[in-house]
Amino acid sequence: MIESKSKAKSFVVSKKVVLEAWESVRGNQGGAGVDGQSIEDFERDLSGNLYRIWNRLSSGTYMPPPVKEVKVPKKHALGVRTLGVPTVADRVAQTVVKRYLEPNVEPVFHEDSYGYRPGRSAHDALGVCRKRCWKYDWAIDLDIQSFFDSLDHELVLKAVSRHTDQRWVLLYVDRWLKAPIQQIDGITAARDRGTPQGSAISPVLANVFLHYAFDAWMSREFPDVPFERYADDLVAHCKSKRQAEFVLGAITTRMASLNLELNPVKTQIVYCKDSNRKGSYEHERFDFLGYTFGPRKSCNGKGELFTSFTPAISHDAVKKIHRTIKRWKLHLWNRASLMDIARKYNKIVHGWVNYYGRFYPSMLAKSLRRIDEYLVRWAMKKYKRLRGRRMRAWGFLGRVHTREPGLFAHWQAVRANGRTVGAV
């Protein structure tokens, strides 16, 4: 509970919203910022900490501390992403402003904006994209170069100002945009553009900016060109190559006018090849939200094979999963049982199945078979009767699967591929 020490304040900030913001931050967990304070540390003096945040926000004296630079693996691809991790107190303050701003901007967002929005998911964007790739012959795979690091602060504030008349919201958005970043080497660097990924307020700011920079502009300039946007991941659909080239040129010019640049390597025009579109083009695949869209063998309700332009888990995501499985070193768990292994890793595998198994699950099933290969090596090391007998070890694992089909999270995905665990 926030202590009541009210005096006349410059701004009206609800104590209830501050408390709700804390509960949201606590639920999301997350690491400590530059002050080293964890969620547990903050909670030890919860009333005092929340009061200080409310008091400073409502008096106009809240000054954001630097954000801590952290390198984390990319969610759906290889490589690392740079995040800016705020302190726990700063995450609470940002969430307060987010709760005041979000209800004003959410109703005006475009129906094809999916990222960081309530009731919308990456799977929604992928499903719509798949249907439009069936309908439209050409797609534009758009990649904005270093989007979160390149945002123009003045343009962001201009966009936000359209949706709030509360000066304190704009005041703190401006301060968060300009908050310095403490780099991994300990040096604190000033920022004159960009908003750090990892903060509570950045997704809302990015969506507000891109609503005007892309969504509303596309709807106005190219109403017959549908698109899907998930944060800064974008795909647009065109009826012809000529139209795609014209639209891409216009988007390139639009981004340049906003001090942004399209990545020349990752941005491409793609031909959506399938059984009815038998032509050829330099690019016939593109990646979107951890899936690769491309021509794949499919089967209709009559059992007839045909080629469909459809998504499946991307090559980068497969490589990342294989690297993760390799790091587990399951074959060395000699003292553990299969139940122990399942308890340790099923939650992670469930996540893979739930996300990457939504479309063309047989491709994921093929990738997750790598787990069974390690389990066979585990069995050969654990049981003398199976040492050096690979086929017998596969048979052993197959019998376990028959007896306990729900033991491992990935076995259901393997069955979707039409193969049993014991098959070679």
Side-chain angles (χ1 to χ4, degrees):
M1 182 180 295
I2 305 174
E3 296 178 15
S4 179
K5 302 178 181 178
S6 297
K7 294 182 180 180
K9 298 294 182 182
S10 301
F11 307 114
V12 178
V13 180
S14 167
K15 293 180 179 179
K16 180 182 178 182
V17 173
V18 175
L19 181 59
E20 291 172 347
W22 154 247
E23 291 170 347
S24 175
V25 169
R26 179 175 56 185
N28 292 331
Q29 290 297 304
V34 294
D35 60 358
Q37 187 181 52
S38 66
I39 293 286
E40 293 74 19
D41 295 335
F42 185 92
E43 202 164 12
R44 290 191 182 99
D45 183 20
L46 181 59
S47 181
N49 285 326
L50 294 182
Y51 175 79
R52 278 187 286 274
I53 293 170
W54 170 81
N55 186 47
R56 291 170 184 173
L57 285 176
S58 56
S59 63
T61 60
Y62 182 81
M63 298 300 296
V67 295
K68 183 173 71 173
E69 183 182 62
V70 175
K71 304 285 187 181
V72 299
K74 290 185 177 180
K75 188 173 182 179
H76 301 305
L78 299 176
V80 297
R81 187 185 305 278
T82 301
L83 299 184
V85 179
T87 64
V88 174
D90 200 34
R91 293 209 296 274
V92 174
Q94 289 186 27
T95 304
V96 170
V97 173
K98 176 185 174 183
R99 284 176 172 265
Y100 273 92
L101 181 60
E102 202 167 46
N104 295 336
V105 297
E106 183 61 30
V108 305
F109 283 157
H110 195 280
E111 62 180 354
D112 282 312
S113 168
Y114 297 89
Y116 310 116
R117 295 185 60 192
R120 291 168 175 259
S121 70
H123 284 153
D124 293 332
L126 288 161
V128 172
C129 185
R130 180 178 65 162
K131 290 180 180 179
R132 286 174 176 163
C133 285
W134 294 340
K135 182 178 180 180
Y136 292 81
D137 292 357
W138 298 85
I140 309 174
D141 178 21
L142 295 158
D143 184 274
I144 303 175
Q145 182 103 24
S146 304
F147 170 73
F148 280 91
D149 295 331
S150 305
L151 277 174
D152 186 299
H153 290 173
E154 184 177 344
L155 293 178
V156 173
L157 284 169
K158 182 179 178 181
V160 173
S161 67
R162 294 190 178 193
H163 300 282
T164 182
D165 58 359
Q166 301 193 57
R167 290 189 301 112
W168 66 276
V169 170
L170 293 174
L171 172 69
Y172 294 127
V173 167
D174 184 41
R175 289 180 183 176
W176 279 312
L177 288 171
K178 296 175 181 177
I181 185 165
Q182 182 177 294
Q183 300 170 340
I184 293 176
D185 58 10
I187 297 175
T188 299
R191 291 187 302 111
D192 60 358
R193 60 180 50 249
T195 179
Q197 288 180 270
S199 71
I201 197 69
S202 287
V204 179
L205 300 182
N207 269 340
V208 172
F209 177 86
L210 281 172
H211 171 76
Y212 294 103
F214 185 82
D215 303 354
W217 177 83
M218 280 288 290
S219 297
R220 183 174 64 251
E221 299 295 324
F222 302 104
D224 60 337
V225 177
F227 63 87
E228 301 81 41
R229 181 175 68 80
Y230 192 97
D232 60 329
D233 290 325
L234 307 104
V235 177
H237 304 270
C238 297
K239 295 178 180 179
S240 68
K241 178 185 174 185
R242 182 178 179 181
Q243 184 187 39
E245 290 172 339
F246 181 80
V247 172
L248 177 56
I251 293 173
T252 301
T253 301
R254 172 65 174 174
M255 292 298 110
S257 72
L258 301 170
N259 300 317
L260 295 172
E261 181 183 358
L262 295 181
N263 187 316
V265 175
K266 295 182 178 180
T267 297
Q268 57 186 357
I269 294 173
V270 179
Y271 179 55
C272 303
K273 186 173 183 176
D274 59 18
S275 289
N276 297 319
R277 297 174 287 199
K278 302 180 183 297
S280 61
Y281 187 66
E282 178 184 6
H283 304 295
E284 296 176 354
R285 297 177 181 273
F286 67 88
D287 284 0
F288 183 48
L289 301 178
Y291 279 78
T292 296
F293 284 72
R296 305 181 190 281
K297 292 297 180 184
S298 300
C299 184
N300 62 22
K302 299 179 181 179
E304 300 169 337
L305 292 177
F306 68 101
T307 301
S308 175
F309 194 87
T310 197
I313 182 173
S314 71
H315 179 65
D316 278 354
V318 168
K319 288 178 69 175
K320 186 175 179 181
I321 286 174
H322 286 177
R323 289 185 180 182
T324 300
I325 294 170
K326 184 178 180 179
R327 285 198 300 269
W328 292 347
K329 298 181 179 180
L330 301 181
H331 59 297
L332 301 181
W333 284 49
N334 291 4
R335 297 183 180 180
S337 67
L338 287 175
M339 180 64 74
D340 294 331
I341 297 173
R343 287 173 178 165
K344 177 73 174 177
Y345 296 113
N346 266 358
K347 184 176 180 180
I348 297 173
V349 179
H350 267 302
W352 293 337
V353 172
N354 290 339
Y355 188 79
Y356 295 111
R358 179 65 65 91
F359 304 100
Y360 215 81
S362 60
M363 188 67 72
L364 174 65
K366 182 179 178 181
S367 302
L368 294 182
R369 190 169 173 79
R370 183 69 59 92
I371 298 174
D372 289 333
E373 293 171 359
Y374 276 98
L375 292 177
V376 164
R377 292 172 62 185
W378 168 87
M380 292 168 66
K381 284 181 175 290
K382 187 172 182 68
Y383 301 112
K384 289 183 179 180
R385 70 181 187 278
L386 299 179
R387 288 178 186 172
R389 298 177 180 271
R390 184 176 179 81
M391 293 298 294
R392 286 192 179 183
W394 273 110
F396 160 80
L397 196 62
R399 289 189 295 275
V400 174
H401 172 266
T402 300
R403 188 172 63 249
E404 301 178 72
L407 179 60
F408 285 99
H410 70 284
W411 279 351
Q412 183 177 0
V414 171
R415 287 198 301 275
N417 194 29
R419 302 177 67 178
T420 60
V421 171
V424 178

